[in-house]
Amino acid sequence: MSTAIGTPGTSGTSGTPGTGAKDPGTTTAPADERVPLRRLVPLAVQHVLAMAAAPVSTVFLTAGALRLTPGGTASLLSAVLVLSGAGSLLQSLGVWKFGARLPFVMLPGGAATALFLQIAKDHGPAVASGSVLLAAALLLAVVPLYARIVRLFPPLVMGVTVLLIGVAMVRVAAQLITGPTGTAAPGAVVLAGLTVAVTLAAYLLLRGVWRQSAVLIGMAAGTAVAVATGLGTFSPAGGSGFSLPRLFPYGAPQFDLVAALPLLIFSLTTLAEITGQTVLNSETVGRAADAGRDVPKVARADALTSLLAGIWGTSLMVTSSENIGISRLTGVRSRFVTAAAGGLLIAVGLLSPLSRLVAGLPPAVVGGSALVVYAVIALMGVQMLARAELAERGQTMVAALALAAGLLPIVAPNLYGGFPGWVRTVLGSGVVAGTLAAVLLHALFAAADRPGREGGPAGRPTRDQKEPA
């Protein structure tokens, strides 16, 4: 991790070297800088454009997987945009013990959405909504114990979990292209391929905020091609004016602890991600990183917003560092810019015509975009595994067996078909099976190493010890 931005010897703020004290004339930290309105609006718009791809693609993947009507899709998009805006406001401004007052934005978690859809597929969307509420409540409850829980999810375990989520969801994205029959029409495959190709071209050729919007550009181009060639249809939902998202769109939530296990485990793993992102954001804005102070505040805001997400029919909301690149690009590190971006997202979410217009995207276009999004998630898992020092004793075996446990139900969905229901729910989910295997195996190897702290379990020198000359 890089050191804090600022004068060497300080805590990332201007002041007397080596003391961290501010100069008499310096009264405002970069994160607390007030930005004039004429600069605030365009800066906030840049942040919105950079983060808009995540909520839009998440909503259409959810709508396609759950076969929502255009009206239902529009309501869900409205809900996700409002939640993203409200969460960004809460994290940026902070209220009591909720929000770290850092320039964060909040988005629907891609991995969390994948698990939400898997639960909805196996148990119904009402159970999936109940699972979101349970996971959010769990996150809120364990915040005081976060330092102990984070130790259960080192990069090795996180890498296995994220990689399995990405692999599982590439299958779900493919189902958006094939449709309910499982056999894709050639036109749908071509349309999805064109969407991926435009997304790739935008990512390669564009820079800055436009490059970060490559997925949105791919969606727009894919829809235009579908309408122009007849490969797909564009059918916006009816309605006009302002509208509030629907509460409990799938009916009263149902609570099933076994079915909710994937999201319950994921909510605990987010504490490790929150820690890294909070430290990174603190360094970016020149604030001395204090995980013990800030991480609980970020986690509480995530949990509170996710409780609302369960009520409005979407999955867990997570604080994101996607906007850090914009802060570095513009040189403006004020949390009031991300707060303004949150206000814009709320306004856009309540503009019913916009939500209903976007709700008409062809499923094959959404499937093509989803392939890109979830393949990137899988690659993130690979990158986490690369940081896990697999060459160390036992790490390779832990990763190999955990991935085997997680991939088995993906490549052989009926493997546990003859077992009781709770076994099918736990082991039949690749993410749950792989994560539990990684946690248990990592703990087992750690316990095996413990008796020989000085020289390993059999008196062998560890990697930090040198053989005598």
Side-chain angles (χ1 to χ4, degrees), residues 169-241:
M169 289 315 295
V170 166
R171 289 186 62 216
V172 174
Q175 292 168 3
L176 291 174
I177 302 170
T178 63
T181 64
T183 303
V189 176
V190 170
L191 187 56
L194 287 172
T195 302
V196 173
V198 173
T199 303
L200 176 61
Y203 187 82
L204 288 174
L205 300 176
L206 301 179
R207 294 292 181 269
V209 67
W210 296 108
R211 186 177 192 179
Q212 292 176 295
S213 303
V215 173
L216 281 181
I217 293 171
M219 280 185 172
T223 302
V225 170
V227 173
T229 62
L231 292 175
T233 58
F234 177 56
S235 306
S240 61

Side-chain angles (χ1 to χ4, degrees), residues 4-319:
I5 298 173
T7 306
T10 72
S11 298
T13 57
S14 304
T16 305
T19 67
K22 294 181 181 179
D23 292 331
T26 303
T27 57
T28 304
D32 299 324
E33 178 189 359
R34 300 275 181 171
V35 181
L37 184 62
R38 56 186 166 78
R39 293 184 61 211
L40 182 66
V41 173
L43 287 169
V45 170
Q46 285 190 48
H47 281 275
V48 169
L49 288 174
M51 63 189 285
V56 171
S57 59
T58 295
V59 166
F60 290 115
L61 180 61
T62 303
L66 300 184
R67 310 293 182 208
L68 299 183
T69 64
T73 303
S75 177
L76 186 62
L77 178 59
S78 177
V80 170
L81 291 174
V82 169
L83 287 168
S84 296
S88 300
L89 277 168
L90 184 58
Q91 293 289 19
S92 300
L93 301 181
V95 177
W96 192 45
K97 295 183 179 181
F98 295 82
R101 299 189 178 185
L102 285 167
F104 272 128
V105 295
M106 191 172 288
L107 299 170
T113 300
L115 299 176
F116 174 86
L117 293 179
Q118 189 62 50
I119 296 171
K121 176 184 175 183
D122 295 338
H123 305 279
V127 175
S129 290
S131 299
V132 172
L133 294 174
L134 289 173
L138 175 65
L139 179 59
L140 197 59
V142 302
V143 164
L145 305 174
Y146 104 91
R148 297 180 183 179
I149 293 172
V150 165
R151 296 193 193 107
L152 297 175
F153 301 99
L156 175 64
V157 177
M158 292 287 291
V160 168
T161 300
V162 174
L163 177 56
L164 290 172
I165 288 172
V167 171
M169 289 315 295
V170 166
R171 289 186 62 216
V172 174
Q175 292 168 3
L176 291 174
I177 302 170
T178 63
T181 64
T183 303
V189 176
V190 170
L191 187 56
L194 287 172
T195 302
V196 173
V198 173
T199 303
L200 176 61
Y203 187 82
L204 288 174
L205 300 176
L206 301 179
R207 294 292 181 269
V209 67
W210 296 108
R211 186 177 192 179
Q212 292 176 295
S213 303
V215 173
L216 281 181
I217 293 171
M219 280 185 172
T223 302
V225 170
V227 173
T229 62
L231 292 175
T233 58
F234 177 56
S235 306
S240 61
F242 287 82
S243 66
L244 292 174
R246 282 186 230 148
L247 300 178
F248 302 115
Y250 317 120
Q254 299 176 18
F255 300 100
D256 184 332
L257 283 175
V258 177
L261 264 179
L263 277 176
L264 292 174
I265 293 174
F266 178 81
S267 70
L268 297 180
T269 68
T270 60
L271 287 172
E273 185 178 359
I274 288 171
T275 301
Q277 291 188 347
T278 301
V279 171
L280 176 61
N281 206 336
S282 297
E283 292 177 346
T284 299
V285 302
R287 177 194 288 187
D290 187 342
R293 175 195 65 202
D294 293 333
V295 170
K297 295 179 180 180
V298 175
R300 289 190 195 99
D302 278 10
L304 179 60
T305 312
S306 294
L307 285 171
L308 295 175
I311 293 173
W312 277 346
T314 188
S315 189
L316 295 173
M317 303 292 293
V318 297
T319 294

